Every structure is written in C-alpha cells, then in structure tokens.
C-alpha cells in the first residue's frame, strides 16, 4: 500500500482551493467540506487495506461524475472507527497517472459507514478520466470513468452493458469479469444488486450473516458483495448508471408492504435502513431524503448527446400493493380471474414519477429513448380455466399502468422507444403493443430483458409455456447467466445476449446466445 508521489507545494494547494469551490455545488456538501491542508499528508497508518471494497464511479454528466469508495476498517484498525477521516481524491487525465488534474479532500465518518461520494466537476464532455483515493498511508486501486457527451453532440455511439440479479451464493460474477474487459461507455444495472435471502438448493458460496433487516446488517451484506474481485473490476473499469429492484430491501416488496404483510411502519424502517446502506455503497449523487429517510429518489434521466435519452425508473418504491395476493403468504404469485387488475388507479411508478416520465418521454428530441426499469414489460400469461394468468409482481400485475405507458408512446407517435429490464432471470426480446399479443394492435416499442448475472432462472417447462402462448415474445431463455451488450447507433440498436449455463463457475466464459436488432423508425425486434 505505497502511495505514489504526488506533486507537492503550491500547485496542489491551488488545486485544492479550486476544488473547494466545486465542492460547494455537491448536494451533500456538508458531509465533505474541504479538509485542512495538513490532512493531505496526515491520517492513519493502516494495518490492513482500508480500500478493500474497491472504487466506483457513476451517474455521468457532460461535465461531472460521482466517484465512490468506502473505508473498510478491519479489527486491527478498529481504533480509527470512531474518528472522522479525511480521504483525498485524485483525478488524472491519463491511465499511467502522469497527468494529474487535481486533488481534493473529502471528510467522512461512521454515520455514513465511512463512505465517500466525491463529485468531480468542471470536466470535459465525452472523455475518460482516471481517479484514486488516498487516506493516511493507504492508496486505493485506480478507477477509470467517463463523462457523457455534450448535450448537443451528434455522437455516433453509446455502448452499454445491461445487467441485473447477482445472487452472490448462486454463482460467480464472470459476467462482470467480461464487462470489465470491454470497451463500454456505461454499465446499466437494473436491480437485485444484493440479495437479502438464501436458497440452500443453489449455493456455490455463502453469504456471511443472516437475512438483513437493520442498517448494520445491510451494510455488511453490501460490503461482502463489494469484496468480489470481478464486481470490483467492473466498477473500476466503467461508470455505472443504476436503479434497484426488490432484493435490495426484501423479496417482492411493494412500497410499504412486504411479503409477510408486516406492520407498514416496520417495513418503512427496514426500507430506510436498506436505502441508506444502498446509497453508502453506490456511486450515486443523491442519498435518502434528509426529512424522510425511508424515501430516496433513484429515478433519473441521462442524455447521451443527441443520440439517446436514458431513463432509469423506480418500479418498487411507489408502486401499488400486489393485486390478489395469497392472504396467508403475501408477496408475488401467479393469479387468474383477478378483477383488481382492472383497477385504473393502480400504479407501477407512482403518480409523480409516471407524470415526470411521460412528460419527458413525449418531449424528448433525442433519437433513441432507452427506458431502463427493473422488470419485464411484455406479457408472460398463459391460458387457465379462470382466464389468462398474470404474474402479479411484474407489469402483468399492473396492466392498465402498462397500457397508459404504451398508449402514451402510441398517441405521441414516438419512434425508437426501447425498454430495457431485468429481474426475471432470463433473456427476452419482445415486441410491445398497447394490447399484448393482439395483432390488430400495432407494435409501438421494443423490449430487451437481460438474464441474471448469477441468480437461477425458471424451469424450461414454464419458459416453453410462456413462449408458446405469447407471440410478441421473439426470444426467451432462462437457462443461462450473463449480461447483454447493447450498441446504440443512429441507424439501429444491436444487442448481444452474452451468457453461460447455470451456475456460473469461476472458470466459466460467456458466449453469444443470440443477437437481436431494432432498426430506427420501425418498432420491433429483428434477428441481428
Ligand atoms: Fe433477481
Ligand atoms: Ca427482483
């Protein structure tokens, strides 16, 4: 843990003063006011590596990006636990770290689990930067990040990797190993970053600790995931743009209802703990609401020059409770003949997010409208004696909210809307109509769902039933784990499902399961 020499004297002091100004713009400015100069060389002599959880960057803008790390204090360094710590963030123009741009100090302490969210501002659009953190005697690994292009830039490409569902126990993160090696602009992660629960049937390695419900337990779970070398490599290689799904809190939760119908106030307390731990471990601009810690805004929009708008939607925090749940068990289930599904007041996004999204969508002037959200939008129902079945946790459980969203696209005659999702542990390519599977209802948008990084998928029997009864679905396979490469260009979007049979083992390598394409101006998938 040696630290490389840093230019000393006046120049670094000038940089520090410049950054003090930039820091005033950071939303958590109170948590990271510039430190006194002496701290640049002071700080603990560490017995074990405080940067063992790695580094990350995220939410790129044309002129800024969030840089993240968290100090982990092993038993030998427990004496530092109660102390506020000063972490210096260093930014470079080149991979060899020969061209330092600036350094600035960020304060952190135990109230935020010694996490660091350093907003690097005043950057050039559409270029790579390298960064690392220094605290006392220790220096972090080096991360690479990238800003988004200027808003009016006629940029030719956006290369992203779509991923979700990384159950630590159910497989190794070889998908992240491959993503880390690729030339990507952004990793788009759409939920189930951690899992709170275990399935003893599928365990190639184990969670430490039981099912988290309290802040310290969620912190421990996140920290364990962050020790994975492949996940660390993927965070260090690319900026991430993220949303969450259910397992970051508890399986199948819907707003303040969990899968056991627990007291809503207790669910909100647990959710507040989960959201705080999530923020502490992710490269995000905003944390939990200071007044209402059980609330945290994660939905966002990122522009990629004139080529694309990328929305990240929150399908958990504001959604209506499940329709027709099992009264004894709660949570998700497959329902049929459920009249509640036809209640138009039921919502997947909540009123405010839905209004914000449809306004943004209809006013967007960019070519591609990429809508990243946590689950599957196309229907997966099958015929039953009581009528068509619906999985009440996905968009099939919120059919009128889905109809509103797709109806907005149809009415505004929007071209080039591509829905991106995860959650269901299978690769899906589907056409989206206002009325699912009804040939008289035109295809208005396209959908790509990525399989899980490691979590087990549904049985082939069930997958076949879904394929056979849903002609809108062009591709559906649940037997492999991986991620999806998405190459966005003005003329079309090409997607490659990269995967390996379950479970992903340490030496597994990915191959291309299928390639699909959406051509600009024509909604719907074609073979790539
Ligand atoms: Fe999942
Ligand atoms: Ca999920």
């Amino acid at each position: 843990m040696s630290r490389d020499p840093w230019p000393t004297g006046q120049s670094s002091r000038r940089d520090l003063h410049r950054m003090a100004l930039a820091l005033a713009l950071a939303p958590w400015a109170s948590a990271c006011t510039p430190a006194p100069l002496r701290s640049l060389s002071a700080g603990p002599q560490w017995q074990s590596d405080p940067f063992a959880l790695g580094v990350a960057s995220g939410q790129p803008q044309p002129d800024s990006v969030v840089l993240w790390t968290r100090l982990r204090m092993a038993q030998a360094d427990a004496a530092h636990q109660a102390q506020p710590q000063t972490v210096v963030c260093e930014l470079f123009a080149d991979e060899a770290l020969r061209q330092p741009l600036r350094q600035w100090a960020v304060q952190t302490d135990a109230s935020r689990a010694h996490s660091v969210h350093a907003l690097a501002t005043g950057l050039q659009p559409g270029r790579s930067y390298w960064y690392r953190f220094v605290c006392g005697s220790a220096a972090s690994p080096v991360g690479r990040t990238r800003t988004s292009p200027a808003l009016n830039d006629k940029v030719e490409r956006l290369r992203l990797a779509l991923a979700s569902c990384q159950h630590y126990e159910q497989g190794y993160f070889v998908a992240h190993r491959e993503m880390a090696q690729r030339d990507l602009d952004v990793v788009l992660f759409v939920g189930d970053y951690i899992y709170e629960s275990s399935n003893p049937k599928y365990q190639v390695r184990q969670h430490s600790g039981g099912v988290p419900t309290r802040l310290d337990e969620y912190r421990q779970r996140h920290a364990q995931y962050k020790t994975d070398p492949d996940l660390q490599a993927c965070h260090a290689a690319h900026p991430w743009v993220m949303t969450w799904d259910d397992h970051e809190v508890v399986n199948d939760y819907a707003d303040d209802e969990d899968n056991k119908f627990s007291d809503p106030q207790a669910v909100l307390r647990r959710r507040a703990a989960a959201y705080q731990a999530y923020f502490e471990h992710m490269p995000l601009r905003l944390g939990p609401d200071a007044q209402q810690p059980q609330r945290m805004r994660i939905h966002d929009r990122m522009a990629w020059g004139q080529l694309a708008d990328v929305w990240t939607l929150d399908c958990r925090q504001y959604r209506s409770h499940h329709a027709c749940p099992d009264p004894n068990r709660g949570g998700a289930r497959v329902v049929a003949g459920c009249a509640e599904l036809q209640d138009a007041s039921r919502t997947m996004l909540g009123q405010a997010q839905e209004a914000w999204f449809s306004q943004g969508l209809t006013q967007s002037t960019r070519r591609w409208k990429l809508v990243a959200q946590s689950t599957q939008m196309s229907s997966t129902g099958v015929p039953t004696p009581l009528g068509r079945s619906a999985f009440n946790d996905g968009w099939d459980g919120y059919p009128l909210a889905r109809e509103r969203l797709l109806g907005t696209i149809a009415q505004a005659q929007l071209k080039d809307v591509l829905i991106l999702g995860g959650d269901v542990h299978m690769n899906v390519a589907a056409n989206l109509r206002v009325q699912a599977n009804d040939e008289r209802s035109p295809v208005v948008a396209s959908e790509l769902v990525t399989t899980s990084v490691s979590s087990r998928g549904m049985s082939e029997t069930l997958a076949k039933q879904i394929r056979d009864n849903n002609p809108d679905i062009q591709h559906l396979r649940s037997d492999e784990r991986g991620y999806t490469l998405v190459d966005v260009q003005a003329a079309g979007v090409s997607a490659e499902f990269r995967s390996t049979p379950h479970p992903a083992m340490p030496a597994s390598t990915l191959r291309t399961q299928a390639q699909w394409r959406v051509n600009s101006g024509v909604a719907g998938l074609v073979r790539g």
Side-chain angles (χ1 to χ4, degrees), residues 269-283:
R269 278 195 298 276
R270 182 179 186 183
R271 195 176 90 172
Y275 286 1
Q276 184 178 336
Y278 182 89
F279 171 68
E280 288 168 353
H281 291 81
M282 302 301 169

Side-chain angles (χ1 to χ4, degrees), residues 201-254:
K201 264 175 31 194
Y202 310 109
Q203 273 182 332
V204 299
R205 50 183 177 171
Q206 285 194 315
H207 284 149
S208 57
V211 177
T213 59
R214 300 189 321 246
L215 179 56
D216 59 322
E217 296 165 337
Y218 280 110
R219 282 171 171 167
Q220 187 190 353
R221 181 57 49 87
H222 273 284
Q224 185 181 14
Y225 277 58
K226 279 285 195 301
T227 59
D228 182 277
D230 296 320
L231 180 58
Q232 278 194 11
C234 191
H235 273 298
H238 312 293
W240 283 39
V241 169
M242 314 182 65
T243 189
W244 53 37
D245 194 36
D246 52 340
H247 288 285
E248 284 87 351
V249 180
V250 61
N251 186 32
D252 296 341
Y253 84 96

Side-chain angles (χ1 to χ4, degrees), residues 165 192 195 247 423 425 455:
C165 293
D192 289 356
Y195 278 72
H247 288 285
D423 175 45
H425 309 174
S455 314

Side-chain angles (χ1 to χ4, degrees), residues 140-153:
S140 77
V142 175
R144 183 210 72 120
T145 190
R146 192 170 179 80
T147 49
S148 59
L151 296 180
N152 58 1
D153 191 336

Side-chain angles (χ1 to χ4, degrees), residues 17 54 86 105 125 143 185 209 212 217 245 264 329 355 359 387 394 415 426 483:
H17 289 307
T86 300
D185 293 306
E217 296 165 337
D245 194 36
R329 202 179 60 89
Q359 189 185 34
K415 302 286 181 212
M426 52 192 182
Y483 73 100

Side-chain angles (χ1 to χ4, degrees), residues 287-308:
D289 186 316
Q291 263 69 53
Q292 294 178 281
Q294 77 278 16
R295 293 245 168 253
M296 177 174 147
R297 177 176 170 150
I298 196 156
H299 60 277
D300 195 14
R301 175 166 79 159
M302 174 181 73
W304 202 262
Q306 286 295 302
L307 181 64

